Amino acid sequence: MSGGFGSLYGVRGRRLTSRDLAAAKKRGVPWAMLTAYDALTAGVFDEVGVPVLLVGDSAANVVFGYDSTLPVTVEELLPLLRAVTGATSRCLVVGDMPFRSCQGSPQKALGQRRALHEGRPRTGCEARRGPGGPPAGRALVTAGIPVMGHVGLTPQSVNVLGGYTVQRRGETGERLIQDARDLEAAGAFAVVLEVVPAESAKRITAELASPTIGIGAGPDCDAQVMVGQDLAGLTPDPAPKFVKRYSNMRQVLSGAARQFIADVSSRNYPWRGSCILLSMPS
Ligand code: KIV
């Protein structure tokens, strides 16, 4: 299956690692990454062969209902990380270090890393994705934590960069390329390119030895990532332009809930068969 375990790595009986992703880049094999926040969804994604799952700061919106990703904390993400790692056995799980966990300070990043690392036996999470740029990334890598970098429109920098739009070309494009280089030099094993011009993403992908993971960054990245709820069609419209809905779960779920309301109102639930089953002696 393209983009999944089978065709990519021949990995059997162990979790995928950042080395497998580097090997995939060398072989020119593209792969998929999705966000996941709960055990059932993560289990499905792992079962079908999604190689990398991100417990991302988009949990702020899709799990906690905040109107931006800024307020979410490490403490809020930890139980989600445990659920995702506990329900999976093959994919690489990446835990986000949200904006408030670093805010550019390597010292703060390290302090939060300690909290995450101490939770590691329980979370089983193998890698961290974090803001704070190369200094924070370097501090984590030095401390032995594999780091996935993130440049372009990091949701946490939305206030600084001026909204969810593709970054301008020219000077901004050069800065993005330099940011990506700096992150790789700091030791990042992969770099997410979020909402950056396709031509910049193509250049960065060609230059970096580490895999690039695009979201709204054109077709030339080594991998592509999507928020799981966007993929499933659970998030409300309008979706960002680059999102492809692979299902219409919002409609499916609304339909199921409406039918349940109607059945309860008309005393058609519990249905006769289930009543008989429930009343059977064990
Ligand atoms: O945290 C997140 O969910 C993300 C996705 C947009 C990839 O960064």
Side-chain angles (χ1 to χ4, degrees), residues 30-260:
W31 46 272
M33 170 164 127
L34 284 172
T35 64
Y37 304 105
D38 67 90
L40 290 181
T41 312
V44 170
F45 290 164
D46 195 44
E47 201 175 292
V48 300
V50 178
V52 186
L53 292 183
L54 170 67
V55 180
D57 60 6
S58 56
N61 311 102
V62 299
V63 176
F64 297 107
Y66 301 145
D67 57 10
S68 88
T69 56
L70 299 180
V72 77
T73 62
V74 164
E75 289 71 26
E76 286 171 318
L77 292 189
L78 266 175
L80 315 186
L81 205 48
R82 263 179 229 129
V84 169
T85 52
T88 57
S89 59
R90 306 194 298 163
C91 62
L92 172 70
V93 179
V94 179
D96 218 345
M97 293 187 59
F99 180 66
R100 287 172 64 184
S101 69
C102 303
Q103 282 173 312
S105 150
Q107 285 72 29
K108 188 162 180 200
L110 261 179
Q112 293 281 297
R113 174 200 71 82
R114 226 162 271 133
L116 284 161
H117 195 58
E118 276 154 18
R120 196 173 175 212
R122 279 173 296 138
T123 62
C125 168
E126 290 303 324
R128 309 286 165 211
R129 190 187 68 154
R138 195 171 298 113
L140 292 172
V141 171
T142 306
I145 301 289
V147 169
M148 178 178 280
H150 190 185
V151 300
L153 185 69
T154 54
Q156 49 269 36
S157 65
V158 66
N159 295 332
V160 182
L161 294 174
Y164 288 92
T165 53
V166 175
Q167 301 305 292
R168 276 185 298 112
R169 285 149 182 80
E171 212 181 289
T172 314
E174 287 305 319
R175 204 196 57 221
L176 287 172
I177 293 168
Q178 193 53 49
D179 284 352
R181 282 187 196 123
D182 290 348
L183 277 165
E184 182 173 62
F189 71 83
V191 180
V192 172
L193 307 178
E194 182 161 0
V195 194
V196 308
E199 66 267 31
S200 303
K202 187 174 180 177
R203 268 186 70 190
I204 295 169
T205 303
E207 239 191 73
L208 262 51
S210 325
T212 59
I213 306 158
I215 175 162
D220 296 305
C221 300
D222 298 303
Q224 298 287 337
V225 57
M226 244 172 114
V227 172
Q229 286 79 358
D230 281 343
L231 163 118
L234 202 52
T235 44
D237 287 331
K241 249 195 351 226
F242 51 82
V243 163
K244 177 174 174 185
R245 305 286 200 189
Y246 284 84
S247 187
N248 60 354
M249 288 304 293
R250 200 175 172 83
Q251 242 173 287
V252 171
L253 206 52
S254 314
R258 278 205 195 92
Q259 191 57 54
F260 180 59

